[in-house]
Amino acid sequence: MPAIVVIGAQWGDEGKGKIVDHLAERASMVVRYQGGNNAGHTVTIGSTVLRLHQVPSGITRPHVAAVLAHGMVINPPALVEELDRLAALGISTENLHISPNAHLVMPYHILLDEAEEELRGAHALGTTRRGIGPAYTDKVARRGLRMQDLIDPARFRARLEVALERVNLELTRIFGREPMTADEIVEKYAPAAERLAPYVEDTSLLIQKALQRGETVLLEGAQATMLDIDFGTYPYVTSSSPSAGGACQGSGISPRQVSAVLGVVKVYTSRVGMGPFPTELKDDIGDWIVERGHEYGTTTGRRRRCGWIDLVSLRYAARLNGFTGLALTRLDVLSGLSRIKLCVAYRLPDGTETTEYPLDTELLAQATPIYETMEGWEDEDLSKARRVEDLPPQAWAYCQRISEWMGVPIDVISVGAERNDLVALRWPV
Ligand code: IMP
């Protein structure tokens, strides 16, 4: 009964969608366990580029059940729109399952996300402004609305009216915004409720039954380890737990059922939004990586900050998640660089060196990377490589160095955007 967790090891946008799509070939179920439509997972099938926000990447495989588990915060109208877009592309969305316990992103969460960001001014977090933080705040404050409320019209209106009493005080008195009415929200959410109701069922039970039948279940993390509310660069993080512990909590399975934890590592680093990023390149090479890697956000279109690979934070991610294998992605992007740098330690302001990731965010912001330099490889098309021998020796040496530093074997290397542009070395379990 293998459950395989797939997690981003950096600040997101590692290319998890493509890796999940690859593994989904042999799985019966893909489960999203946290986050909402702040995520943007891209899967390229031939000339079709799918951008998924709430629906798990496994939806592309007809035999795979796509589960939105209770650790998620779901924006119902946005989910309906996503389902419509998929249907228009001829992708069946029938095998979708939504937890009744998943919380709802409400229109006022989006207003509050924007208002809070504006109030923070120079200290803004750079959120996706999708209402994710305020939705999780309401969940933890035990005043959120859930999918089970949405699909019961009377209950939804009653709970919404109670919620609005507080929300409107916040909107008007703290942020000087207009209050919201239950009617306007019901009008927007009722059609989505009707549309999504048939998909709502106990997903934790559904996952358990699949595991008991011996099927492979993929648990797909959104965002990534360094954006984790507990382990990331707080407060420049998302409001959920993308890391391995969150996978069990958000999907409702036991840690004893997880057979493998795959860490998805982009072979350089990128970050959207604010927060410390020791290996960020603010020079021509940084710009070159952005353009060559088309490093613009799938969800917000923002230019991503780019830099060299950071093995200090990657070792931290490997320790926290217990990675059993690595998926190295976007190797093709670095083709053509004569030298490639890998950050192997940080120099701290007091002059000391460390290979351990500092938990103090202020200290991290002042850390200077210490690099090891490796030889690059020619600007050649790697996308046709299917075996290690097809890769330039320098590219393979670079991959091996990452694996050695992290102490984790390589399962797969992605060498292009298309679904099959992969060098597969081993299966996670
Ligand atoms: P939020 O999740 O919208 O609250 O944003 C919090 C931080 O996480 C911001 O820096 C966002 O840019 C970042 N973030 C959220 N989702 C993603 C993602 O899917 N990829 C990369 N960064 C993300």
Side-chain angles (χ1 to χ4, degrees), residues 11-13 38-40 113 125-130 132-133 223 227 236-239 271-274 302:
W11 279 285
D13 310 308
N38 48 347
D113 198 355
L125 306 178
T127 73
T128 59
R129 300 193 176 208
R130 296 292 190 273
I132 305 301
Q223 292 80 47
L227 289 171
Y236 302 100
V237 291
T238 193
S239 297
R271 171 162 208 175
V272 258
M274 306 309 287
R302 288 179 292 175

Side-chain angles (χ1 to χ4, degrees), residues 10-14 16 32 35-41 52-53 113 117 120 124-134 136 221-224 226-228 233 235-240 270-275 297-300 302 304-305:
Q10 293 145 311
W11 279 285
D13 310 308
E14 294 91 354
K16 296 177 287 290
R32 261 283 301 272
N37 67 340
N38 48 347
H41 296 161
L52 301 164
H53 297 286
D113 198 355
E117 278 290 84
R120 285 185 197 111
L125 306 178
T127 73
T128 59
R129 300 193 176 208
R130 296 292 190 273
I132 305 301
Y136 277 114
Q223 292 80 47
M226 302 309 289
L227 289 171
D228 186 286
T233 46
Y236 302 100
V237 291
T238 193
S239 297
S240 63
S270 71
R271 171 162 208 175
V272 258
M274 306 309 287
T298 316
T299 300
T300 58
R302 288 179 292 175
R304 297 181 185 138
R305 300 154 66 195

Side-chain angles (χ1 to χ4, degrees), residues 55-75:
V55 175
S57 307
I59 197 82
T60 51
R61 307 273 184 185
H63 66 278
V64 168
V67 177
L68 282 73
H70 55 257
M72 283 189 75
V73 287
I74 296 174
N75 179 321

